[in-house]
Amino acid sequence: MAERRALLRDQSERSCGTSDGVSRAEDVFNEMSGDEVADELLLEEEEAAVGPVQIVVADEDEHAFSLDEEALERILLQEDIRDLNVVVVSVAGAFRKGKSFLLDFMLRYMYDQKSDAWLGGNEEPLTGFTWRGGCERETTGILAWSEVFVVEKPDGSKVAVLLIDTQGAFDSQSTIKDCATLFALSTMTSSVQVYNLSQNVQEDDLQHLQLFTEYGRLAMEEIYRKPFQSLMFLIRDWSYPYEHAYGLEGGNKFLEKRLQVKQNQHEELQNVRKHIHSCFSNISCFLLPHPGLRVATNPHFDGRLKDIDDEFKKELVNLIPLLLAPENLVEKEIGGSKVTCRDLLQYFKAYMKIYQGEELPHPKSMLQATAEANNLAAVAGSKDSYNKSMEEVCGGDKPYIAPADLERIHKDLKQKSIQQFRAVKKMGGEEFCRRYQEQLEAELDEAYANFVKHNDGKNIFYAARTPATLFAVMFAMYIISLVTGFVGINSVATLCNLIMGVALVSLCTWAYVKYSGEFREVGSVIDQVAETLWEQRTPRKVFTKLFEVARSKVTLGALLPAQRKRLSSNNNVKKKN
């Protein structure tokens, strides 16, 4: 049946658009039995359904990502593979660097790996994951090949192989957070991460890798010694084969030099390299030559091998089996345990939920991070100058200073601190720096409030204000009660005696609170009432202030009974004569 299907396809392609071709195709179908035709149609339907499937969908307007759970379930929960250990090979890196192009050669190998001619024919267009030439991005989000390949390893065990394509980083429509999220998610869910680079490994490539892997490590519930598995630096268009030969051996020697930690290196460079080594269990590098000018400059290039340089094809034949040959497959592990296809679905859901939340810090560009650090340093320096100057005025063992003088000094020092902040050269622009100036002003006002409290604590009269006020109230009420009792106004005398008793109880309670340190909230209320009586000396002001304090502490509606709704009645209407 396969031969007849191939004959049919060949006949149809060669006779497309002609009546002779149609009749020959009909003859082939007529030669097939009913069951063969049904099987053939079913096979064609399955082949039509095979292709790249979007599993992580990008929302470009909101700069957010969502998991298409139904699509991922259709891939990973197929009955014949859902309980097999999974091998996930993912390709990630900057956009327009040939990631999807490379994955399509991986597909050719997986479909025909038992043949030495898996690379395909010279006239065969390259199909699979969508790719094209040009400078605009093609892939968005994360795509997985809909068919999971079942491969038997040399030890006889079977594993499921899943190929994943990732949206390119650093295009004109993606933020740093978008790039970090996709790269981190790809690294967390893959057993082999291919880091696709062009021409060389530059320092910014390593720094971005450090940022993305750290963002992924933050999302993992438990941090293991090396949270990720295999990382392969794939250097495309390598132009220095005279220094390091193409392939794995030359690549590993090159990478060893590039990731070497040296004593004379700056601490920042050392930390980047130490971080990468601490994240991956296995790190390798492969140097791949340029595929040729016809590939790079021909707008109609469709992946035919005849247009690709022989050197590139030679190294491609060495590269793909390194990743996908049965003896080289790396099974996905998390926390030391192997992961099945069913498990991988749950990990995808859990990781996506984390990245959709607000638990993780937002990655920032190097300029934004530097500008924030620059402005925060200026804020800290200005605030420190203000604090030192204020300490010399009213801090520590300095004597009590009049509140008006302290406020005047505060305003002068605050203005000097703001001028100092403005004088520092800062990154980010005027509008960006204005937010940090406002933050500085708020922090200075907060510090001033603390200095005021500290200064008031040095005033012995301020410290004795509460007992003096309560004693004055008791003395006044005692005198008034004597006078009113003498003239016969007993109700007023009784009220004064009651107030005097409340003041005495409050004084005793306040003394106990200060001595024992317990019931501090009660002591604060007594201090506040005493302060109100001290500052508002006329009865009208006293009661007004006390009412405001009470209203702030207790909701008025809680004290008053609910009002009943009045019903309209003719008796309430005054009749006019």
Side-chain angles (χ1 to χ4, degrees), residues 17 44 68 79 118 141 149 170 176 238 296 414 421 426 495 531 546 553:
E44 292 294 339
D68 189 338
E79 188 173 353
W118 62 265
F149 302 95
F170 314 119
I176 289 293
W238 178 251
K414 179 180 178 181
F421 174 80
K426 301 178 291 298
L495 179 61
E531 184 179 358
L546 286 175
K553 296 291 183 181

Side-chain angles (χ1 to χ4, degrees), residues 122 186 190 194 220 263 308 323 369 421 461 474 488 527 561 573:
N122 285 331
S186 171
S190 63
V194 179
M220 303 187 79
Q263 293 294 331
I308 302 176
L323 299 170
F421 174 80
F461 294 101
M474 287 189 295
D527 283 331
V573 180

Side-chain angles (χ1 to χ4, degrees), residues 543-558:
F543 287 113
T544 302
K545 186 67 176 179
L546 286 175
F547 178 73
E548 291 177 357
V549 172
R551 187 172 58 180
S552 66
K553 296 291 183 181
V554 182
T555 306
L556 188 60

Side-chain angles (χ1 to χ4, degrees), residues 206-215 271-272 275-276:
L206 299 180
Q207 291 173 354
H208 287 133
L209 179 62
Q210 179 191 28
L211 171 65
F212 298 161
T213 52
E214 182 62 22
Y215 198 54
N271 290 337
V272 170
H275 175 88
I276 294 173

